[in-house]
């Protein structure tokens, strides 16, 4: 895809930290972490990224950053460069100085040597103005280079923290609770009320087998909205492992259901991913 096409296809979606697509094969992560104050009616004017001069970031954490006038604790957009001048990340923050300080502490020095900053005119600027400034910088960079900054691409959590994973679903509050309906009925309701369900060994954040880990990785890597159920959790899902084998007529785990129907296990999901068939599956 040409650089101009990639830039033209850039689009922003909410809520915050939702994916932003630069092209059909690149997913960008929107770098806002905090709730913003009530928007102001004023719209701040920001320079283009190419019009801003870089500021050096000291390699030693004990060395101070630029003075407050140069790098103030105000809302704005900023971009961070490695020692060779390659752009690594474009961010937006209510406190640019604090954000740069944070990157300086947690990001390897070889990725964080200088920064460009554009500060808002207002103390509490319109969120849309800041968002548009960030988007403009991103478009300008993509148009010039044909690619997004590596730190903004989804899956790179050096710059943007990993998203919190949803908790696994549980069929009962605990062993002490007596079921009033058959377990098969609970399973049937679960797979039909959720578009994509993965019955795995272990939790979503800590799978207990390589196949379950692979399935979670594939689904998350394709941006699928799915829920997981731990078949090894006998405290909250007693009897699930054997009952599910009978319900699905499938002897192994993990098991993936889409739209109430069994798709299969890890091998089938991996094969579909390699053939590029998952997008069509989850669109149905």
């Amino acid at each position: 895809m040409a650089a101009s096409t990639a830039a033209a296809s850039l689009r922003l979606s909410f809520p915050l930290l939702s994916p932003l697509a630069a092209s059909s094969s690149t997913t960008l992560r929107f770098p806002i972490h905090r709730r913003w104050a009530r928007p102001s009616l004023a719209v701040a004017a920001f320079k283009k990224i190419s019009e801003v001069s870089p500021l050096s970031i000291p390699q030693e954490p004990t060395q101070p950053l630029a003075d407050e006038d140069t790098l103030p604790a105000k809302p704005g957009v900023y971009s961070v460069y490695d020692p060779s001048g390659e752009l690594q990340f474009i961010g937006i923050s209510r406190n640019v100085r604090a954000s740069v300080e944070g990157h300086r502490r947690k990001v390897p020095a070889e990725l964080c040597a200088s920064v460009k900053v554009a500060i808002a005119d207002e103390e509490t600027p319109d969120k849309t103005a800041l968002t548009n400034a960030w988007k403009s910088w991103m478009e300008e960079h993509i148009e010039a280079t044909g690619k997004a900054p590596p730190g903004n691409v989804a899956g790179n959590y050096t710059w943007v923290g990993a998203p919190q994973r949803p908790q696994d679903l549980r069929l009962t509050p605990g062993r002490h609770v007596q079921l009033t309906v058959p377990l098969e009925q609970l399973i049937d309701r679960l797979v039909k009320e959720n578009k994509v369900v993965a019955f795995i060994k272990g939790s979503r954040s800590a799978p207990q087998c390589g196949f379950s880990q692979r399935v979670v990785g594939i689904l998350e890597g394709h941006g699928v909205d799915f829920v997981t159920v731990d078949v090894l959790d006998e405290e909250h899902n007693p009897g699930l492992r054997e009952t599910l084998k009978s319900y699905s007529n499938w002897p192994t785990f993990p098991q993936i259901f889409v739209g109430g129907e069994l798709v299969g296990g890890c091998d089938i999901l991996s094969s579909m991913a390699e053939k590029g068939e998952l997008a069509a599956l989850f669109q149905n």
Side-chain angles (χ1 to χ4, degrees):
M1 178 180 290
S4 58
T5 304
S9 66
L10 194 68
R11 63 184 186 274
L12 182 65
S13 59
F14 287 87
L16 303 181
L17 287 179
S18 61
L20 170 130
S23 69
S24 59
S25 60
T26 302
T27 301
L28 306 184
R29 194 163 296 285
F30 188 67
I32 293 183
H33 299 275
R34 302 180 180 89
R35 186 180 298 277
W36 287 81
R38 188 184 184 93
S40 160
L41 294 178
V43 177
F46 292 90
K47 292 182 177 181
K48 297 172 64 177
I49 191 173
S50 57
E51 297 173 343
V52 180
S53 299
L55 303 170
S56 295
I57 299 176
Q59 297 299 296
E60 291 295 329
T62 56
Q63 292 181 274
L65 286 172
D67 59 65
E68 282 281 352
D69 291 335
T70 306
L71 189 58
K74 293 182 178 180
V77 292
Y78 62 97
S79 55
V80 185
Y81 299 79
D82 65 18
S84 67
E86 288 291 324
L87 178 59
Q88 296 295 316
F89 179 71
I90 299 178
I92 178 172
S93 175
R94 289 193 303 177
N95 187 329
V96 168
R97 187 178 186 85
S99 293
V100 174
E101 280 279 18
H103 294 319
R104 186 189 185 198
R105 289 192 298 269
K106 76 169 188 174
V107 176
E110 59 268 22
L111 299 179
C112 195
S114 62
V115 62
K116 289 185 178 183
V117 175
I119 301 300
D121 295 333
E122 301 292 323
E123 291 295 331
T124 55
D126 181 8
K127 181 174 66 178
T128 301
L130 285 165
T131 299
N132 287 339
W134 176 83
K135 181 181 176 182
S136 175
W137 279 28
M138 189 71 70
E139 289 176 335
E140 184 181 345
H141 177 72
I142 292 175
E143 186 174 2
T145 66
K147 60 183 180 180
N152 292 99
V153 177
N156 185 331
Y157 302 127
T158 301
W159 299 89
V160 178
Q164 291 188 354
R165 289 169 166 170
Q167 293 293 320
D168 304 282
L169 295 186
R170 295 170 172 176
L171 295 180
T172 72
R175 284 179 177 270
H176 61 282
V177 176
Q178 184 69 35
L179 293 179
T180 58
V181 296
L183 187 55
E184 292 88 345
Q185 188 173 332
L186 288 181
I187 296 172
D188 188 67
R189 184 186 306 169
L190 179 68
V191 300
K192 290 179 179 177
E193 290 181 352
N194 296 276
K195 184 174 181 180
V196 182
V197 182
F199 292 92
I200 64 175
K201 292 182 178 180
S203 66
R204 181 169 179 168
S205 58
Q208 295 299 304
C209 77
F211 297 121
S212 294
Q213 185 175 29
R214 172 67 175 157
V215 163
V216 170
I218 291 174
L219 294 175
E220 290 187 342
H222 284 76
V224 178
D225 182 13
F226 69 104
V227 297
T228 52
V229 185
D230 182 2
V231 299
L232 301 181
D233 184 0
E234 285 295 324
E235 175 62 29
H236 300 95
N237 306 319
L240 173 61
R241 192 171 178 180
E242 294 304 317
T243 305
L244 185 58
K245 289 179 183 180
S246 174
Y247 173 86
S248 63
N249 195 28
W250 192 268
T252 60
F253 298 96
Q255 295 184 18
I256 301 92
F257 288 76
V258 177
E261 300 294 331
L262 176 69
V263 173
C266 180
D267 289 347
I268 291 178
L269 199 70
S270 297
S271 176
M272 294 182 72
E274 291 172 1
K275 295 177 182 178
E277 299 173 348
L278 289 186
L281 173 67
F282 296 123
Q283 285 175 356
N284 294 334

